[in-house]
Amino acid sequence: MFSSNLLLHFLFQLFIIIHSRADLPGTWELLVANAGIASMHTAVTRFNTVVLLDRTHIGPTRKRLPKSHCRVDPNDPVHKQDCYAHSALLEPSTGKLRPLMILTDTWCSSGQFLADGTLLQTGGDGDGFKKVRKFTPCEAASFCDWEELEETELARGRWYSTNQILPDGSVIIVGGRAETSVEFFPSRHGNGAVKFPFLAEAKDTQMDNLYPYVHLLPNGHLFVFANNRAVLYDYTNDVVLKQYPELPGGPRNYPSAGSSAMLALTNDHSSATIVVCGGAQYGAFIERTTDSPAHGSCGRIEATRPDPVWEMEDMPFGRIMGDMVMLPTGEVLIINGAEAGSQGFEMASQPCLYPLLYRPDSPVGLRFMTLNPGSVPRMYHSTANLLPDGRVLIAGSNPHYFYKFNSEFPTELRIEAFSPEYLLPEKANLRPVIVELPENVSYGGGFDVVVTVELPVVGVVEINLASAPFATHSFSQGQRLVKLGVSSAIPAGSGFYRIACTAPPDGRVAPPGYYMVFAVNTGVPSVAKWVRLL
């Protein structure tokens, strides 16, 4: 007898045989043939540039720093004088790259944009264990670089931790390897750290509590998921308010390599639904079994209900190390990863080249659509980020300790973009263009967005706010999409429409900061413009 997962996998493989790639939605393009570094951590800035960040202490990359800008570190185990870049700033519209200077080790670190648009970057290994760094973005033609804070450091070393911006604009930093506490930036407690026993309870012999999935709910509390468990955490009073039911299917966090996303906040923004998908079989990491099949189960829970339960369904096939990207439409792209093994160096096989589209409004059993496959394996240390033009930037993949180019899954320096079906040329006449938008909006305030559309608008044009998360290790820290309350589009001249919008009510629904604003017409998004929510 086939198990349900095996049967689904068999049917999917049969589907592939019958249908050619050309029949599946989505298109791929190569943006950069050689970025010089493999991006373990990736973030999109409000200037439409992309921060690429690997780690130091690994020897040469394929991109050099500017002349006379070498990093000198007598404790570096590989290069005491390192003249290679381990970070870069990419301009996707031109493919231009500028090397950035990073001094301390950012291996498996964490990050989050602050309310002023600065990228906060925390922790890592070695000399980066307690380090706090900032990157203040600038126009592509200007100069900006990493700043390593000297007067401020983390209270506890943070390696494999998760960051989340809070309603007041501060950031909570959760967990890390051998660390079962939380702390804040700026610090809000005398010793800087608060014990969080849940992380100890969620730890197993594989350390499946690393890179916990942290989502800020619209009630102001945190949904924190580690291993196969989740809690509702009141971080203000340091109280666990609720223990959620265990998620069936085994561990989902690093190194078992599932992924998670909070679905779009809609209507009155009072409810929030979390999805957790994929993961490795328990024991795959310990036993280093690279051929252990991943599972494809997904759990979905309405985290704000008084009596929440997990609703289970299966993806068409198993996946580990997949990235879940919130699209402007409210759908979720699941991309990258492998079908066997676990996270870690040389620990996975069978690259998963087929993206999936998760359609949350469809009934169970019909939510997943298989998309056009890529050709580049994106294994351990891959990333995926939504760009303002609606494409998804795909970067990274280095399943080796050093850069290695003569293996089955070599260090990957190519950067690609995946275009969902909504960017097909035949949909161009439905695509709105935002022509008027305020630079700043206030909580609960009304404002107008003016768009132009080639074809007459039929129905409601959505106005959706998308955050710019920090993507690393199969989880996008701080990712959220908020659908605003809008009026019907009112004609305002030839092909122009005015849409009255209401901003999110407070920082619990959307923390302060810069957001991409998308107008979405019958499922087709505009190019985003940036707005600051104050």
Side-chain angles (χ1 to χ4, degrees):
M1 289 284 293
F2 274 131
S3 71
S4 59
N5 280 350
L6 287 175
L7 179 59
L8 283 169
H9 185 80
F10 171 77
L11 292 173
F12 175 70
Q13 297 299 331
L14 181 62
F15 175 85
I16 293 174
I17 294 172
I18 295 172
H19 294 267
S20 68
R21 293 186 175 196
D23 295 323
L24 299 176
T27 57
W28 292 83
E29 61 183 304
L30 180 66
L31 291 184
V32 180
N34 183 357
I37 66 170
S39 191
M40 180 189 301
H41 320 289
T42 310
V44 178
T45 82
R46 69 184 188 275
F47 294 106
N48 299 333
T49 56
V50 181
V51 178
L52 309 174
L53 179 61
D54 196 6
R55 62 186 178 103
T56 58
H57 301 78
I58 54 170
T61 61
R62 293 299 182 269
K63 192 168 190 65
R64 285 189 172 271
L65 289 165
K67 191 174 181 180
S68 302
H69 281 72
C70 298
R71 179 178 62 89
V72 178
D73 183 356
N75 297 315
D76 190 316
V78 182
H79 271 171
K80 309 304 179 189
Q81 180 170 298
D82 185 0
C83 300
Y84 291 90
H86 301 280
S87 182
L89 191 65
L90 168 66
E91 187 178 33
S93 61
T94 63
K96 292 181 179 178
L97 281 153
R98 179 169 63 81
L100 301 174
M101 185 79 165
I102 195 83
L103 297 177
T104 54
D105 196 359
T106 53
W107 184 8
C108 299
S109 51
S110 53
Q112 190 78 157
F113 281 103
L114 300 176
D116 65 359
T118 299
L119 178 59
L120 178 76
Q121 220 277 325
T122 53
D125 190 28
D127 61 359
F129 200 37
K130 289 188 173 183
K131 201 67 181 176
V132 178
R133 314 166 192 87
K134 286 186 176 183
F135 180 81
T136 303
C138 60
E139 297 281 357
S142 302
F143 181 83
C144 43
D145 210 335
W146 286 102
E147 174 192 3
E148 313 238 356
L149 303 190
E150 299 298 332
E151 303 299 324
T152 303
E153 69 172 14
L154 298 174
R156 306 298 296 266
R158 302 287 172 180
W159 196 22
Y160 300 89
S161 63
T162 300
N163 293 7
Q164 169 66 54
I165 188 170
L166 299 173
D168 65 357
S170 64
V171 170
I172 189 170
I173 307 165
V174 182
R177 188 166 184 170
E179 188 50 62
T180 55
S181 68
V182 305
E183 63 180 281
F184 300 85
F185 180 90
S187 176
R188 62 170 66 179
H189 293 278
N191 63 0
V194 178
K195 294 302 292 182
F196 189 31
F198 165 70
L199 291 176
E201 297 162 6
K203 183 180 179 181
D204 59 27
T205 53
Q206 296 186 139
M207 305 173 295
D208 282 305
N209 66 348
L210 301 183
Y211 277 126
Y213 305 145
V214 181
H215 301 285
L216 173 65
L217 303 182
N219 58 18
H221 303 312
L222 296 177
F223 178 94
V224 183
F225 185 101
N227 200 322
N228 64 350
R229 300 174 53 193
V231 295
L232 181 66
Y233 180 47
D234 176 354
Y235 61 87
T236 301
N237 298 300
D238 186 29
V239 175
V240 170
L241 301 173
K242 178 181 296 185
Q243 296 267 359
Y244 291 94
E246 287 189 7
L247 174 61
R252 308 290 182 135
N253 294 80
Y254 186 100
S256 290
S259 190
S260 177
M262 181 171 70
L263 300 181
L265 300 179
T266 59
N267 300 323
D268 62 357
H269 306 137
S270 63
S271 65
T273 299
I274 311 297
V275 179
V276 179
C277 291
Q281 300 293 334
Y282 179 80
F285 180 78
I286 295 174
E287 299 164 10
R288 301 188 66 85
T289 52
T290 61
D291 58 351
S292 175
H295 62 78
S297 68
C298 288
R300 171 170 164 162
I301 193 167
E302 190 174 339
T304 44
R305 286 180 60 91
D307 55 346
V309 295
W310 289 101
E311 177 186 72
M312 301 303 297
E313 56 191 315
D314 287 319
M315 297 185 287
F317 46 88
R319 188 190 299 262
I320 57 171
M321 300 183 291
D323 287 281
M324 301 183 77
V325 180
M326 287 298 306
L327 299 178
T329 57
E331 297 169 316
V332 183
L333 179 70
I334 307 174
I335 200 165
N336 296 337
E339 294 190 52
S342 66
Q343 275 179 321
F345 295 124
E346 324 293 343
M347 293 286 284
S349 64
Q350 302 177 37
C352 198
L353 299 176
Y354 284 82
L356 292 175
L357 185 67
Y358 179 78
R359 299 169 292 186
D361 295 334
S362 297
V364 175
L366 297 175
R367 288 177 178 153
F368 292 103
M369 175 187 290
T370 302
L371 306 178
N372 185 29
S375 59
V376 178
R378 298 288 180 175
M379 309 289 278
Y380 188 40
H381 290 150
S382 300
T383 58
N385 295 75
L386 178 66
L387 292 173
D389 61 13
R391 295 178 298 172
V392 175
L393 184 93
I394 308 297
S397 187
N398 185 19
H400 319 292
Y401 191 89
F402 299 108
Y403 279 30
K404 188 175 180 180
F405 299 97
N406 59 349
S407 65
E408 182 181 7
F409 305 118
T411 302
E412 188 53 65
L413 304 181
R414 286 172 287 184
I415 296 179
E416 300 175 285
F418 178 77
S419 294
E421 188 178 18
Y422 55 58
L423 293 179
L424 286 173
E426 52 266 37
K427 296 194 175 187
N429 54 9
L430 295 172
R431 193 172 200 192
V433 176
I434 298 176
V435 295
E436 185 179 313
L437 175 74
E439 292 183 1
N440 303 309
V441 297
S442 300
Y443 285 113
F447 64 98
D448 288 351
V449 176
V450 177
V451 303
T452 180
V453 184
E454 187 175 330
L455 289 181
V457 167
V458 178
V460 174
V461 176
E462 294 181 352
I463 303 296
N464 300 336
L465 303 186
S467 68
F470 181 87
T472 188
H473 290 77
S474 308
F475 182 63
S476 289
Q477 302 179 14
Q479 179 172 234
R480 71 202 298 112
L481 184 78
V482 181
K483 296 193 173 187
L484 301 185
V486 297
S487 69
S488 297
I490 299 173
S494 179
F496 289 81
Y497 297 87
R498 184 174 296 275
I499 304 160
C501 308
T502 303
D506 53 46
R508 298 175 301 174
V509 173
Y514 287 88
Y515 289 81
M516 291 177 275
V517 179
F518 290 93
V520 182
N521 177 33
T522 61
V524 180
S526 67
V527 172
K529 290 187 179 294
W530 292 87
V531 70
R532 186 174 185 183
L533 181 59
L534 300 166

